[in-house]
Amino acid sequence: MHYQTRGQGPDVVLVHGLFGDLDNLKSLAQALEANFRVTRIDVPNHGQSPHWEHMDYPRLAGALVSLLDSLDIAKAHLVGHSMGGKIVLATALLFPERVASVVAADIAPVAYPPRHQTVFNALTSLPLDGSVDRKGALTHMLAKGVDEGTAQFLLKSLRRVEATTGLGSDSNSETGTKVNQFAWRMNLDGLIAAYDELIGWPIEGKRYLGDTLFIRGDESDYVTAAHKEAILAQFPAVQLKSIGGAGHWLHAQKPAIFNRLVQNFLDSSGN
């Protein structure tokens, strides 16, 4: 997986959510780098990491452990938001000996109903042939029912690519016209194919006994009282914190509070 590492000290790995990349938790990384060695990753099918045809949490957990091996990290604190939270929870359950502690931001170890149909429709229907510029892309996303904050976040994955059009019948012809088009940095087809796996939760009958922190936004419905039993069943040594005035994007909406909660938890966990 593509990654960036900075800082010195015990290892912390930060894992972003669906449609994101390693910059999503950059504010947290900067807050931690004075006392920890922080690695931010691009999850497969996102950012600059490889595109996978098949994507599920056991395989993602294995890939995360393989990255730890390549960086010669015996054990790390894992922090993840949303889908990234499920990745770090899965890693803790499947490879507990490699996890010093785990933080899950606004996600629970449960299966969720589909809730990204509007986003997928907006992404797949956006013309990528260059007929729509970035401003037009934003207008398109808003017209498809995506709120502006989410649309701006999604469009960070839109990149310009150079294509050649107007080629003759000769496949070796270089007489075509080069035009600027767009492409998604994320593997959109791969994410659509894996979506049922990503909203599901396949890991049963396992427990992680290490220190665990769940942080939720009090305006979000991703972690509710109905999820308490499922959380305690697999993560009995758990703390639960709520951030007032925050929704699912709690790390971006209330970064100072979110960063402080994570740092205090990591400082109190065994290094």
Side-chain angles (χ1 to χ4, degrees):
M1 291 184 286
H2 178 248
Y3 66 91
Q4 293 182 7
T5 299
R6 293 188 61 182
Q8 297 290 330
D11 282 287
V12 180
V13 179
L14 308 184
V15 188
H16 65 78
L18 185 63
F19 306 121
D21 63 26
L22 55 72
D23 282 340
N24 293 166
L25 293 170
K26 190 173 183 178
S27 171
L28 175 60
Q30 292 171 336
L32 297 176
E33 285 166 4
N35 299 305
F36 296 90
R37 184 170 71 158
V38 182
T39 299
R40 295 178 289 131
I41 69 168
D42 281 336
V43 173
N45 285 334
H46 297 77
Q48 298 181 53
S49 281
H51 288 185
W52 285 5
E53 183 178 353
H54 302 291
M55 183 181 185
D56 58 46
Y57 289 113
R59 188 178 181 194
L60 289 164
L64 183 51
V65 169
S66 292
L67 178 64
L68 297 183
D69 290 341
S70 69
L71 297 176
D72 197 25
I73 297 174
K75 183 177 284 193
H77 302 276
L78 304 182
V79 181
H81 170 248
S82 195
M83 175 193 74
K86 280 191 168 182
I87 294 172
V88 301
L89 293 173
T91 306
L93 291 171
L94 297 174
F95 303 94
E97 72 282 359
R98 306 301 298 273
V99 180
S101 71
V102 63
V103 179
D106 213 58
I107 202 71
V110 299
Y112 289 90
R115 59 174 74 202
H116 296 90
Q117 297 94 326
T118 297
V119 168
F120 279 125
N121 178 55
L123 294 173
T124 55
S125 61
L126 177 66
L128 301 176
D129 59 3
S131 62
V132 175
D133 59 12
R134 285 191 175 275
K135 183 177 180 181
L138 176 59
T139 300
H140 170 88
M141 302 290 283
L142 297 177
K144 290 295 184 179
V146 180
D147 67 87
E148 184 168 359
T150 301
Q152 295 280 13
F153 164 73
L154 293 167
L155 291 175
K156 291 180 180 179
S157 186
L158 193 65
R159 59 186 177 90
R160 286 190 179 274
V161 294
E162 193 176 76
T164 303
T165 63
L167 290 177
S169 59
D170 181 0
S171 62
N172 293 320
S173 173
E174 297 181 0
T175 61
T177 301
K178 293 188 181 299
V179 297
N180 284 322
Q181 296 185 354
F182 287 98
W184 293 111
R185 185 174 286 110
M186 67 180 116
N187 178 13
L188 186 55
D189 290 340
L191 295 179
I192 293 172
Y195 186 64
D196 287 346
E197 296 284 352
L198 298 179
I199 62 173
W201 185 246
I203 303 172
E204 298 180 355
K206 291 186 177 294
R207 305 175 83 202
Y208 174 69
L209 302 180
D211 292 341
T212 307
L213 173 65
F214 284 77
I215 309 176
R216 64 180 293 270
D218 73 347
E219 296 178 356
S220 170
D221 63 353
Y222 274 79
V223 182
T224 69
H227 299 135
K228 182 178 180 180
E229 184 177 347
I231 291 171
L232 288 172
Q234 294 194 298
F235 300 92
V238 65
Q239 302 176 41
L240 179 62
K241 303 289 185 180
S242 292
I243 298 179
H248 187 57
W249 304 97
L250 66 176
H251 62 289
Q253 294 167 321
K254 301 287 184 177
I257 298 173
F258 178 80
N259 294 350
R260 185 172 69 249
L261 287 174
V262 175
Q263 183 157 13
N264 288 347
F265 171 77
L266 294 178
D267 286 342
S268 65
S269 297
N271 294 330

